[in-house]
Amino acid sequence: KNTESKNIYSILPAHKNHLWLATWGGLYLFSMDTKKSSFHSVSDDAKTQELYCIIPLDENTLLAGGNQGGLRRYNIRLHTWSAPKYFSDSLDRLDFNVRYMQRLEGKIYIASEKKNFIEYDPATGELNEFPEFQHISSNARHFIKLNSTLWITTDNGLIQADWNTKSVIKLWNT
């Protein structure tokens, strides 16, 4: 279904005065000149809809994640969707909803529902989970890395962790 979506969760600059938008309705390309959007999701692939975030993998590919679990790749040039590369041992751990993604040090880190904080290597397809964070909360909403400290927002407080060891330093509450 190609319907407009008012729930916009993520934004990326695109080519020639355009913006990529991750929305509840799917992926849209918005023209800042004409103020019109074009729909780029697939109506029969739920993983290309209800998107919370998008990040560039390279100049021709976006990585998208959202409420329907797992990740999807979008080829900008060919206008096609595909599953990303997954390491075979990771296939049974794909049940997570993406809330936020960021590329750091060549890998993609994901704040997710169900799995908390995840490390994804797009080159090998390997997914790494961190049970120590999951024991605090299965849901992570956002994170930032400041120097050697990782801060993860969760449903049970703010996790302060050591970036290098990915070990919890302290759980903070407001």
Side-chain angles (χ1 to χ4, degrees), residues 162-173:
D162 180 276
W163 173 258
N164 297 316
T165 63
K166 306 295 187 290
S167 59
V168 174
I169 296 169
K170 185 169 180 163
L171 177 65
W172 299 89
N173 292 301

Side-chain angles (χ1 to χ4, degrees), residues 37-101:
S37 297
S38 57
F39 185 67
H40 288 263
S41 289
V42 179
S43 59
D44 63 350
D45 184 354
K47 290 185 180 185
T48 70
Q49 299 169 24
E50 298 179 14
L51 300 178
Y52 282 114
C53 56
I54 47 175
I55 62 170
L57 280 180
D58 57 45
E59 65 183 37
N60 292 313
T61 312
L62 299 176
L63 185 65
N67 197 51
Q68 294 297 324
L71 302 168
R72 282 286 183 264
R73 293 168 48 112
Y74 182 70
N75 185 306
I76 295 167
R77 204 178 65 241
L78 300 176
H79 303 279
T80 56
W81 287 91
S82 63
K85 180 177 186 176
Y86 287 123
F87 188 69
S88 60
D89 288 349
S90 301
L91 291 174
D92 61 340
R93 298 183 285 164
L94 297 180
D95 186 28
F96 60 89
N97 296 335
V98 178
R99 290 294 181 223
Y100 175 74
M101 293 187 288

Side-chain angles (χ1 to χ4, degrees), residues 4-9 23-25:
E4 75 176 54
S5 182
K6 295 178 182 174
N7 298 340
I8 300 169
Y9 298 104
T23 77
W24 192 253

Side-chain angles (χ1 to χ4, degrees), residues 8-156:
I8 300 169
Y9 298 104
S10 186
I11 185 170
L12 281 178
H15 67 284
K16 299 179 185 171
N17 224 20
H18 284 75
L19 300 170
W20 286 110
L21 305 175
T23 77
W24 192 253
L27 182 66
Y28 286 83
L29 184 62
F30 178 77
S31 168
M32 292 183 281
D33 295 327
T34 66
K35 309 300 188 261
K36 294 186 179 185
S37 297
S38 57
F39 185 67
H40 288 263
S41 289
V42 179
S43 59
D44 63 350
D45 184 354
K47 290 185 180 185
T48 70
Q49 299 169 24
E50 298 179 14
L51 300 178
Y52 282 114
C53 56
I54 47 175
I55 62 170
L57 280 180
D58 57 45
E59 65 183 37
N60 292 313
T61 312
L62 299 176
L63 185 65
N67 197 51
Q68 294 297 324
L71 302 168
R72 282 286 183 264
R73 293 168 48 112
Y74 182 70
N75 185 306
I76 295 167
R77 204 178 65 241
L78 300 176
H79 303 279
T80 56
W81 287 91
S82 63
K85 180 177 186 176
Y86 287 123
F87 188 69
S88 60
D89 288 349
S90 301
L91 291 174
D92 61 340
R93 298 183 285 164
L94 297 180
D95 186 28
F96 60 89
N97 296 335
V98 178
R99 290 294 181 223
Y100 175 74
M101 293 187 288
Q102 185 178 36
R103 183 186 296 268
L104 295 166
E105 301 172 2
K107 296 189 178 167
I108 295 169
Y109 292 89
I110 302 167
S112 77
E113 290 183 345
K114 302 181 185 175
K115 300 291 184 180
N116 194 297
F117 187 72
I118 301 168
E119 176 186 81
Y120 172 63
D121 186 336
T124 65
E126 186 175 359
L127 284 169
N128 290 310
E129 300 174 42
F130 302 94
E132 189 172 357
F133 302 150
Q134 291 175 15
H135 292 308
I136 294 170
S137 175
S138 59
N139 297 331
R141 303 298 178 187
H142 202 86
F143 64 87
I144 59 172
K145 177 185 178 267
L146 297 174
N147 301 314
S148 63
T149 304
L150 173 64
W151 298 90
I152 305 171
T153 62
T154 76
D155 293 349
N156 293 328

